Amino acid sequence: MTEPSATPDKKKSHGWIRTAVDFGGLLAFFIGYLVTHSLVAAAWWLVAGSAVALVVGYVAEKRLAPMPLISGVLALVFGSLTVFFKDPIFLKLKPTITMTLFAVILLGGLVAKKNVLKMLMGSELVMSDAVWRTFTLRYGLFFLAIAILNEIVWRNFDEGVWATFKVFGILGLTVLFSLSQAPLIMRGMKESEAPVDPEEATAAPPIIE
């Protein structure tokens, strides 16, 4: 008799770890900004929070998923540039560059007939290829839209507004968009004749800040 690959308790604990990896740097940045009221000073918190989150995620799971890893590394890079040059422009550009990078990866993959999102999430969601293409296209366009929106906000509003948008705006829009994809996911799982799990039906790529 084979052992189950993961018990519910292990899955739950891993879920908390993934959440910490996804939100560690973002939460540290927000706390830092509330304390210092300075984007440059908050960048120190972002760098430290992102580094700790990546280390904790790797130690706990012995691996890091590609998207949180790329996002975390970019947070370290742009946070460090902000601290070194004492210029918050690098921090403001980080969401634009991150979102654009993921949009290019997803949409470019579709053009090359390689579904990157399916490669990353295929073990969590069993859907038809047609639905995977639609799912990936929607996320690629969503990431591109967030990149454009970030440019509009930081160029037209003060630092406090942008910091709030970075933490709550991008996060809120991502959660709402992910929830809106549940009907598509359920349809794709039914087409593939896979059992529909309500938790899987709301699955989405990691939060990318």
Side-chain angles (χ1 to χ4, degrees):
M1 180 176 179
T2 58
E3 293 183 0
S5 58
T7 65
D9 287 343
K10 287 184 178 180
K11 287 184 177 180
K12 186 178 292 185
S13 64
H14 284 183
W16 280 106
I17 292 167
R18 293 189 186 107
T19 300
V21 173
D22 290 343
F23 292 99
L26 186 64
L27 179 60
F29 165 78
F30 186 63
I31 293 174
Y33 185 75
L34 288 179
V35 171
T36 65
H37 301 287
S38 166
L39 290 180
V40 173
W44 285 98
W45 295 62
L46 174 65
V47 170
S50 299
V52 170
L54 289 174
V55 170
V56 168
Y58 182 78
V59 169
E61 297 196 315
K62 303 298 184 291
R63 63 179 290 274
L64 285 171
M67 295 177 80
L69 176 60
I70 294 173
S71 184
V73 169
L74 287 174
L76 292 173
V77 171
F78 284 92
S80 298
L81 288 172
T82 299
V83 170
F84 183 80
F85 290 103
K86 295 182 171 56
D87 189 343
I89 186 65
F90 297 103
L91 209 57
K92 294 176 180 178
L93 286 173
K94 191 264 180 182
T96 300
I97 294 174
T98 302
M99 295 294 180
T100 301
L101 175 62
F102 281 112
V104 169
I105 291 173
L106 295 185
L107 298 177
L110 289 180
V111 173
K113 300 188 184 304
K114 293 190 179 295
N115 196 311
V116 178
L117 206 54
K118 182 180 180 180
M119 295 176 187
L120 294 175
M121 300 181 62
S123 62
E124 299 178 33
L125 295 173
V126 180
M127 303 190 295
S128 65
D129 287 340
V131 172
W132 268 116
R133 284 192 293 272
T134 301
F135 189 58
T136 302
L137 176 62
R138 289 183 182 182
Y139 263 99
L141 294 176
F142 172 73
F143 289 147
L144 194 59
I146 292 296
I148 294 171
L149 184 57
N150 182 68
E151 286 294 297
I152 293 173
V153 173
W154 82 258
R155 291 178 185 275
N156 293 280
F157 298 93
D158 62 33
E159 288 187 351
V161 172
W162 177 80
T164 302
F165 166 76
K166 172 180 170 59
V167 177
F168 297 107
I170 295 178
L171 174 60
L173 290 172
T174 303
V175 170
L176 288 175
F177 179 79
S178 298
L179 291 174
S180 74
Q181 301 312 298
L184 175 67
I185 294 173
M186 293 180 71
R187 176 165 65 84
M189 295 176 76
K190 288 179 180 177
E191 289 180 1
S192 67
E193 297 183 350
V196 179
D197 185 329
E199 290 188 4
E200 290 183 339
T202 57
I207 300 295
I208 304 169
E209 48 82 19

